[in-house]
Structure formats: C-alpha cells, structure tokens
Amino acid sequence: MKRHGNLYNKICDIDNLRLAYYRAKKGKNWQNTIKNFDKNAENNLLKIQKSLINKTFKTSKYRIKEIHEPKDRLIYILPFNPDRIVQHALMNVIEPIWEGLFIHNSYACRVGKGIHAGSRKTMEYIRKNNYCLKCDISKFYPSMKHNILFNTIKRKVKCKDTLWLLHDIIYSIGNGQNVPIGNYTSQWFGNLYMNELDQYIKHKCKIKHYIRYCDDFILFHNDKKYLREMAKKIKIFLKEKLSLTFSKCDLFPISQGVDFLGYRHFKKYILLRKSTMKRVKKRLSKLPEKLKRNCITSEQYVSSLASTMGWLRWANTYNLSLKLQMKELLNAV
C-alpha cells in the first residue's frame, strides 16, 4: 500500500487555508464569530498558518451539547477559529487520498454518494435477493479506539508533520477512545475505521451485495444459512480487529421490508420510515409560526420545505404530501 508524504506544506498553504475558511463558514455567515473573523480575515488566516508552521496549534476545548433527536447523543463543538478552519484545511489535502481506499458501496459523507444513492442501490439488491442481514454498531463514535484509528491512518500517511496534526485532533478527547460527533474530521475518521470491515466483507468474505452508511450496514443473499454464518464472522472481526460490538444484527426475509436510510424498502415500492415521518410532521407544523414571528427568514422557510420535499420525492408519498399540505405551505410565502 502506497504511503503518502510531503503533505503538510499543502495543508499550511495560504490558498488552501482560504479555501478551508470558505468551506467552514458556508451557510453560517450569520454567526457573530464568523462576522468578526471576516473583518480581518486575511490576517486571521495568516495567524492560523503561523500556528501550524510553528506547531503551536492545539485543538481547543470542546463545548458539549446534548441532543435527543433522532436519538440521545452528545455533540462536541469546536470554535470556528482556528479549529474548524484547520480541520477543513487538513481534509482538503487528505480526503482525496482516503477516498481512493473506500469501496464503491460506502455511502456516507462522500461526494456523489449519500442517502438517496444508497437507497437506489438498496432497491437494486432487494430485487435480486430474498434475505437481508442488517446490522449496526453500538455507540459507534464513542467506542472508536484512538490507537486503532491512528495506526490505520499511519498505514496510508507517512508525513510526520501531518501525523502530528492528526494525532492532536484524534487524541484531543476521551481516555483512549471516542471520536467526537460534531468534528468535521470525525465523519471521515468513521469511514476510515469502518473501511477495515468493508475490505474484510468484500475482499476476504467475497460478499457481492453489501452496503454501508456510517455504522449501519446490510448484506443481501438468497441463502439464509450463509448470512447467519456471516453474522458470526462479522461479530468476531468487529470485536478482535476494531473493538466494536453490535447494537443490532437482524436476519429477515426481504418481503417484510428493509428499513434503511430513513426509508422502508420493498421490492416494488419505497415508504418513508414512520419515525422519519413523525419528525417531518413535527418540523413542518412549527414552520408557519416561526416565519410569522420572524424566527426564520422566508429563504430559510422555503429551504426547509425544499429539504422535506427532497425526502418525500424518493418514496411513494403522494398521499402523505397531500396530508402534510405541502403545496399550501409553499404558497404561504
């Protein structure tokens, strides 16, 4: 496996830092911290560059926020300056290297992939198979071991300065484990960590019909006994190689529907998952009042509706759209 060096100068390059700055602030220009940064952006970027070159940069202290939807989680928040900019600068250079490692059917946080592409592939495999092994990982991000992650990275990256920066970010929290949900780098760390499983399933076990999205993954096959044996093998691999365990591992006939990526997939149609539908209803019910009270702008109102319509159009939701009064909501602006 080729290991990449001479990366750090690219990360510290002022043009790369400018690109990182624009990407980090995208959609967040209304925040006061970003407005203040913008007042003297070039000098602020030069300060970040200097801290990286001199290696005085250190990941800041996290602010922790607890959320309860779609499930209880702790979100770790870093300052825009310098942390979020630095993480984007790092990934601008590292992302193309890591992208080349991933299998085709890994759909989370990658350009040209995503939920809807994963849903289409799910439908393709459903029509070819009779059984499904659906699994997800227990407390995935909090369970990721720092040493396993860093050693995985070192197999692809040999640039010592870049490894120094990666080490600082990875070991910035926890006691030997926990990759913070909220860091821009974390979604990539998650893909890299689970890529070990992807490679095992696809190349060692030779599973043809396999899809993964973050820590949720599905194997399809016509032999139920074969999938049962695969569940045992995967359980051992996760424990021994990645120090992870299942939260769920279900084997069932495809005829009962495959609940994945926010949808329930059947051979001839797709439905919106019930929990997703409840969240959509709850969010839409609050939109008109938020607009009326000027809590959101008309642009934000339309954007939220467009996002919802994007979800709905990928499933058989004509009656649901009527029930939600989507046309009436759009005409309210």
Side-chain angles (χ1 to χ4, degrees):
M1 179 184 290
K2 180 182 178 182
R3 297 175 71 222
H4 293 257
N6 302 317
L7 303 173
Y8 200 64
N9 286 341
K10 297 176 183 178
I11 294 169
C12 298
D13 182 81
I14 194 64
D15 287 333
N16 182 51
L17 287 170
R18 286 193 194 101
L19 176 61
Y21 155 61
Y22 287 120
R23 288 180 171 175
K25 74 170 187 171
K26 186 177 180 181
K28 304 181 183 72
N29 286 313
W30 54 272
Q31 294 181 0
N32 288 330
T33 52
I34 294 176
K35 288 180 180 178
N36 291 332
F37 188 95
D38 287 348
K39 292 175 183 177
N40 201 7
E42 198 64 21
N43 281 340
N44 287 328
L45 289 173
L46 289 170
K47 288 179 183 178
I48 293 174
Q49 183 188 47
K50 184 177 179 181
S51 74
L52 290 171
I53 292 172
N54 295 336
K55 293 189 178 177
T56 56
F57 170 83
K58 183 174 177 62
T59 299
S60 303
K61 185 176 180 179
Y62 290 92
R63 178 168 63 87
I64 301 175
K65 178 182 177 182
E66 188 174 355
I67 66 169
H68 303 285
E69 288 191 13
K71 59 184 177 181
D72 291 346
R73 290 186 298 175
L74 294 178
I75 305 298
Y76 296 81
I77 304 168
L78 286 172
F80 173 76
N81 176 27
D83 297 87
R84 280 186 267 166
I85 295 174
V86 167
Q87 290 195 11
H88 273 270
L90 169 66
M91 292 314 306
N92 286 346
V93 176
I94 295 293
E95 179 182 333
I97 295 171
W98 288 354
E99 177 65 30
L101 297 175
F102 301 146
I103 65 168
H104 180 78
N105 284 355
S106 166
Y107 284 92
C109 311
R110 297 173 63 195
V111 175
K113 301 294 183 177
I115 286 172
H116 296 128
S119 179
R120 286 195 299 270
K121 183 59 71 172
T122 300
M123 288 298 290
E124 177 186 328
Y125 289 164
I126 279 175
R127 289 166 180 149
K128 295 177 179 178
N129 296 279
N130 293 323
Y131 294 99
C132 164
L133 178 69
K134 183 175 181 290
C135 311
D136 61 46
I137 305 299
S138 176
K139 299 178 180 178
F140 174 54
Y141 284 102
S143 299
M144 288 169 61
K145 303 294 188 203
H146 294 161
N147 287 345
I148 293 176
L149 174 60
F150 193 60
N151 287 334
T152 301
I153 289 171
K154 286 195 292 184
R155 295 207 303 268
K156 195 65 179 177
V157 176
K158 65 180 180 181
C159 174
K160 291 183 179 180
D161 292 333
T162 302
L163 288 172
W164 165 81
L165 179 57
L166 284 159
H167 187 280
D168 181 80
I169 294 170
I170 291 168
Y171 291 84
S172 64
I173 195 169
N175 185 22
Q177 66 183 57
N178 191 5
V179 169
I181 300 172
N183 272 3
Y184 178 64
T185 50
S186 292
Q187 57 194 10
W188 288 96
F189 291 160
N191 261 345
L192 198 65
Y193 206 87
M194 289 297 285
N195 183 59
E196 300 295 296
L197 176 66
D198 296 343
Q199 299 298 328
Y200 171 73
I201 289 176
K202 289 295 292 182
H203 301 300
K204 182 75 173 179
C205 300
K206 307 293 185 182
I207 293 292
K208 188 175 181 181
H209 296 159
Y210 166 75
I211 300 173
R212 182 177 62 80
Y213 189 95
C214 194
D215 62 319
D216 295 336
F217 56 94
I218 302 183
L219 290 74
F220 298 91
H221 208 276
N222 283 313
D223 188 338
K224 187 176 182 180
K225 183 179 177 181
Y226 180 75
L227 288 177
R228 190 177 292 115
E229 290 301 313
M230 281 304 307
K232 294 176 184 177
K233 290 182 180 180
I234 292 169
K235 182 179 180 180
I236 294 170
F237 180 89
L238 287 171
K239 184 65 177 177
E240 293 183 352
K241 301 296 184 181
L242 301 178
S243 193
L244 298 173
T245 58
F246 288 132
S247 65
K248 291 181 182 178
C249 184
D250 299 324
L251 176 56
F252 55 89
I254 280 169
S255 58
Q256 75 180 51
V258 178
D259 191 338
F260 191 49
L261 302 174
Y263 299 99
R264 288 193 68 203
H265 301 79
F266 297 85
K267 291 213 175 200
K268 294 184 178 180
Y269 59 93
I270 304 175
L271 299 178
L272 204 62
R273 180 191 290 166
K274 287 184 179 179
S275 58
T276 305
M277 185 170 63
K278 288 180 180 179
R279 288 200 303 271
V280 167
K281 285 182 177 179
K282 185 177 179 180
R283 182 159 50 85
L284 290 181
S285 67
K286 295 179 180 179
L287 277 180
E289 184 62 23
K290 284 185 176 181
L291 181 64
K292 184 178 179 181
R293 294 170 55 192
N294 294 320
C295 296
I296 57 173
T297 64
S298 57
E299 289 80 10
Q300 289 171 321
Y301 176 90
V302 172
S303 176
S304 184
L305 287 176
S307 175
T308 301
M309 292 174 71
W311 270 94
L312 295 177
R313 71 184 177 132
W314 285 94
N316 299 79
T317 56
Y318 176 76
N319 291 332
L320 177 60
S321 297
L322 293 177
K323 188 176 180 180
L324 294 173
Q325 298 182 310
M326 295 302 296
K327 286 185 178 180
E328 290 81 355
L329 287 170
L330 275 171
N331 292 332
V333 184

